[in-house]
Amino acid sequence: GAVVSQHPSRVICKSGTSVKIECRSLDFQATTMFWYRQFPKQSLMLMATSNEGSKATYEQGVEKDKFLINHASLTLSTLTVTSAHPEDSSFYICSAADRSLNQPQHFGDGTRLSIL
Amino acid sequence: AQSVAQPEDQVNVAEGNPLTVKCTYSVSGNPYLFWYVQYPNRGLQFLLKYITGDNLVKGSYGFEAEFNKSQTSFHLKKPSALVSDSALYFCAVRDWDTDKLIFGTGTRLQVFP
């Protein structure tokens, strides 16, 4: 089946640090990748949609300068949380799909980000 | 706007009993519906989807879902629950134009031995 690898699984760092999270589709080409944020005991909140080779589309209320998304290839997208602060602590999850195949989204295992 | 609703925050069921996790939808046009499961500190795993065809959709791990157009529902079912089925379940509808998934609020399933 389609596998999406997300790395790292957990990050603990000091306030002001920038953190990069990688999302890779291992056995399919991800024309579209999605980044979500999940707060404890809540549903997933879509942050942005990225299509390979083009700029990400951010959801309303999501700061694009704070959450930098790069989708440089059909198998890799990155989310960089710039100058992270404690309020950025959350569970971040990526998903990927091959739009040409009308696939369901396949999700990574998430990254638990804790900012001290 | 497309949306799904999961009316139950938690469902408790004894092992071996049938389980149902409820989902209703509101869409313009034909619905494209999904069920995902999330285990603690993990991403979501795809269980099944409905686009067209048979109203009863079979998915992974023995789960199935019944699409009911008149009741605008897409309930997740399993004939015999396992303790290992305990997890958080999300219903979702896909937006045809943007491919975005709109998730329900999730239902925590607890299966007791």
Side-chain angles (χ1 to χ4, degrees), chain B residues 83-104:
Chain B
V83 173
S84 57
D85 292 329
S86 299
L88 187 56
Y89 290 80
F90 288 101
C91 179
V93 63
R94 179 165 147 177
D95 185 289
W96 287 105
D97 293 328
T98 65
D99 287 339
K100 293 179 187 178
L101 283 178
I102 295 105
F103 286 93

Side-chain angles (χ1 to χ4, degrees), chain A residues 34-47:
Chain A
F34 303 84
W35 287 95
Y36 296 86
R37 185 172 178 176
Q38 187 178 30
F39 293 99
K41 299 185 179 181
Q42 292 191 27
S43 188
L44 280 72
M45 180 192 80
L46 180 65
M47 299 174 66

